[in-house]
Amino acid sequence: MNQTTFLLTGFEPFGQSRINPSEQVVQQLATRRFEGFELATAVLPVHRTRGPQTLLTAVQQTNPDAIVCLGEAGGRHAISIERVAVNLMDYGIADNDGQLVQDEPIQPDGPAAYFTTLPVRQLMQAVQGAGIPAELSLTAGAYLCNQVTYELLHYLAQQQRDIPAGFVHLPFLPQQAAVRPGKFPSMALETMVTAVSTILHTLHNHLATS
Amino acid sequence: MNQTTFLLTGFEPFGQSRINPSEQVVQQLATRRFEGFELATAVLPVHRTRGPQTLLTAVQQTNPDAIVCLGEAGGRHAISIERVAVNLMDYGIADNDGQLVQDEPIQPDGPAAYFTTLPVRQLMQAVQGAGIPAELSLTAGAYLCNQVTYELLHYLAQQQRDIPAGFVHLPFLPQQAAVRPGKFPSMALETMVTAVSTILHTLHNHLATS
Amino acid sequence: MNQTTFLLTGFEPFGQSRINPSEQVVQQLATRRFEGFELATAVLPVHRTRGPQTLLTAVQQTNPDAIVCLGEAGGRHAISIERVAVNLMDYGIADNDGQLVQDEPIQPDGPAAYFTTLPVRQLMQAVQGAGIPAELSLTAGAYLCNQVTYELLHYLAQQQRDIPAGFVHLPFLPQQAAVRPGKFPSMALETMVTAVSTILHTLHNHLATS
Amino acid sequence: MNQTTFLLTGFEPFGQSRINPSEQVVQQLATRRFEGFELATAVLPVHRTRGPQTLLTAVQQTNPDAIVCLGEAGGRHAISIERVAVNLMDYGIADNDGQLVQDEPIQPDGPAAYFTTLPVRQLMQAVQGAGIPAELSLTAGAYLCNQVTYELLHYLAQQQRDIPAGFVHLPFLPQQAAVRPGKFPSMALETMVTAVSTILHTLHNHLATS
């Protein structure tokens, strides 16, 4: 019998930030041991082509049973579980290679959108049950976070790989909000680590019982 | 030579909440040892008359060198250091005794307001320097938080006690935001404890050098 | 040569409201004369099945050259031009018939989403150019507004009717925000009427030049 | 019998703006005739010393029976009736003369604050009754709006002039919000004019019956 493997990814810092909560959560969880599953991790570049490529390469190399991608969403107050990824690139800021894309499809022949295939409501309730603010979100934006999710779900659909896969947006870390002029909500790293750990355990139970 | 003593107060839970971050921060710090000062603590009832009374009794009993009062401000995203307390009670919700007061002065013959006497900008910068969102606030509301601050500053003025005293509002804890429908920012207890500890140490350095 | 016809729809009031800005904008514009196009209008019931049915019936009866559906989005500050409609019903409140739907597809065999086919960026810029706040939105929610948009775009796709069609969310009217406890942005009816009129004229120029 | 005179003031544009809603409201109302009172108006410079001076000169020249000062508060969603002005200058941006002041008192020997003396709750209810969002505010900030209000109330107290006087903050106009990147609420000029006209009429009834 095979070991269950989950793939967890984050992003490198971008924009004005020199840190990214998703990278830090991945780094924290990469060193932990989980009962019932192994965790493979990757940190994706914030780069129009290399971001999705790095994710798909990690999928091919780790052959995971479920995939949770993480990213930063400054301005959100809660663990924000995405329901859908759309076939649109409309960057608000340039990627780390300086590329700025407006109103272009990710896959010119792809469908308008994919729904994520994680048990999103169950994950939200589990995170809330752990005393951490969580919400379902109907938009992952039109930047790299949405793009890697769309590319991932497009790849899995084409490969007919029926595994749970999706995206979770994280608020700013306190130290990111501390240096910004606006009134940005934030969340402690340890709270985020607990939330994502709860998501992974809930996902494991979900797979074990479905 | 006398030992320096700081008085730190919080509030008991009120409204829909069964917990109050300010009470929890006080409880966490009450058991710690600090270099250079002793910490006296009190938790105030959310009660129109007993709230201020409990604070003034604690001041008389502990004879502190500085006073920092804490309270909960659901909706704020940052450690919110108050600059002013106004001579007004205009409760948005009833206190824990069921009393609801509208548009009444705290002290009918008192001045319109007192400025708090903490080194507020220095404290804000110290908290931000610790990587925690902090802001200066020009209103502590018109509920118990404002009221105990006004009564405290009024008492100190009448007693001609020239010690630093003021108020700091705390965001919701994650578990409070997790069960509320709106999009409320929150902050981890440990982050708040670090922030308030930073405030106390900064205050100690301030007193030592002024 | 045929007269160009645009179909403009709004919704009846729902939830706590006895008025709906989209209905009022439609009523105001229904009596106006426009140069270059005729305007057909309809007000849709906030009803799970009759809402989309009323829209599709209006499309069949008026055979329009372009379709702009309007709806209320309390909490938004701007004229909010939707880019996408998703195949999901997840009502936050019951419809006017008392039906509450959670996590169900609109069309079990339909695609995950359709992009709207209005020239959305051009419309946003035209509204902004008229001095009115406007934005592009990546989510129309998962209530009736999203649902009628999805059903409309699904119908047009099946009929292979290649006409511009989409959805625009409107903020609360001032009188709606005036009676609500939270801090809701609002917009005057006349401002909304100017915005939607600007959208219709821009759409007409777009069709004339494309 | 003397004619009742009200003084209504606004501010000139400042910061990034080339318009100021308070100036425009004053200009609109300056040409109207009101039953029961005459309206004197002034537009104040956004200048540390000339702002308050221009206001006090207008008070001396017009000898009004009540004073309502208006100003812009970008970010607010409602007609925001101020309750208090504090003895503090802490400018977030420079005035129109390039002066930036931090943590200085307005009047070194003045009291910490003055309460405004308008019937604020009655005014709020009258504006809401006209279908326009209104709120009571506990802070007018620490910029020119607060400063002229403090100086006005300080002057009236020193002169023992017991007339209603206060300040009302206005949201951005739509054309101001339309060109800003953030999600700023706005309000139509005509809505603001109706609100301020309602305030003046309510104030007139208040004086007639008190």
Side-chain angles (χ1 to χ4, degrees), chain B residues 48 76 82 84-93 95 99-106 138-150 169, chain D residues 83-84 115 121 136-139:
Chain B
R48 178 178 174 170
R76 301 213 188 171
E82 300 296 344
V84 65
V86 296
N87 191 6
L88 177 69
M89 292 181 286
D90 187 35
Y91 295 4
I93 57 170
D95 72 7
Q99 295 185 70
L100 193 57
V101 192
Q102 188 179 74
D103 294 348
E104 289 185 27
I106 297 167
L138 285 165
T139 174
Y143 194 49
L144 264 297
C145 295
N146 171 73
Q147 189 177 335
V148 301
T149 312
Y150 183 91
H169 265 121
Chain D
R83 304 192 79 147
V84 65
F115 284 113
R121 190 170 298 275
L136 299 183
S137 166
L138 285 164
T139 173

Side-chain angles (χ1 to χ4, degrees), chain A:
Chain A
M1 179 186 144
N2 286 326
Q3 170 71 41
T4 298
T5 300
F6 290 167
L7 175 62
L8 180 73
T9 72
F11 274 106
E12 63 179 26
F14 66 96
Q16 306 169 22
S17 286
R18 296 174 63 177
I19 56 175
N20 188 317
S22 67
E23 182 182 46
Q24 296 200 4
V25 168
V26 165
Q27 287 168 347
Q28 292 265 326
L29 289 173
T31 62
R32 295 207 187 166
R33 291 184 145 230
F34 297 90
E35 200 159 331
F37 60 92
E38 283 201 356
L39 192 67
T41 62
V43 174
L44 312 179
V46 177
H47 185 287
R48 177 178 174 168
T49 52
R50 287 195 287 109
Q53 277 167 11
T54 305
L55 173 57
L56 296 188
T57 300
V59 172
Q60 287 155 7
Q61 289 175 344
T62 61
N63 193 29
D65 300 282
I67 304 166
V68 177
C69 301
L70 306 176
E72 168 192 311
R76 300 212 189 173
H77 76 295
I79 301 295
S80 198
I81 302 165
E82 301 295 345
R83 303 191 80 146
V84 64
V86 295
N87 191 6
L88 178 69
M89 291 181 287
D90 187 35
Y91 295 5
I93 58 170
D95 73 7
N96 286 346
D97 193 40
Q99 295 184 69
L100 192 58
V101 192
Q102 189 179 74
D103 295 348
E104 288 185 28
I106 298 168
Q107 288 285 349
D109 300 321
Y114 288 99
F115 284 113
T116 61
T117 53
L118 298 171
V120 292
R121 190 168 298 275
Q122 201 178 329
L123 299 182
M124 176 186 73
Q125 289 166 345
V127 175
Q128 289 175 338
I132 299 172
E135 64 182 359
L136 299 183
S137 165
L138 285 164
T139 173
Y143 194 49
L144 264 297
C145 294
N146 171 74
Q147 188 177 335
V148 300
T149 312
Y150 183 92
E151 292 278 32
L152 171 63
L153 294 164
H154 188 63
Y155 170 82
L156 294 174
Q158 288 186 318
Q159 300 287 318
Q160 301 186 311
R161 292 273 315 270
D162 185 19
I163 60 169
F167 197 90
V168 177
H169 265 121
L170 306 175
F172 275 144
L173 288 163
Q175 59 265 46
Q176 295 179 289
V179 296
R180 280 175 169 76
K183 292 180 175 291
F184 285 101
S186 64
M187 192 176 276
L189 179 58
E190 192 49 50
T191 307
M192 294 188 194
V193 167
T194 301
V196 175
S197 176
T198 300
I199 284 171
L200 296 173
H201 282 292
T202 306
L203 201 46
H204 178 248
N205 290 338
H206 171 77
L207 287 177
T209 58
S210 63

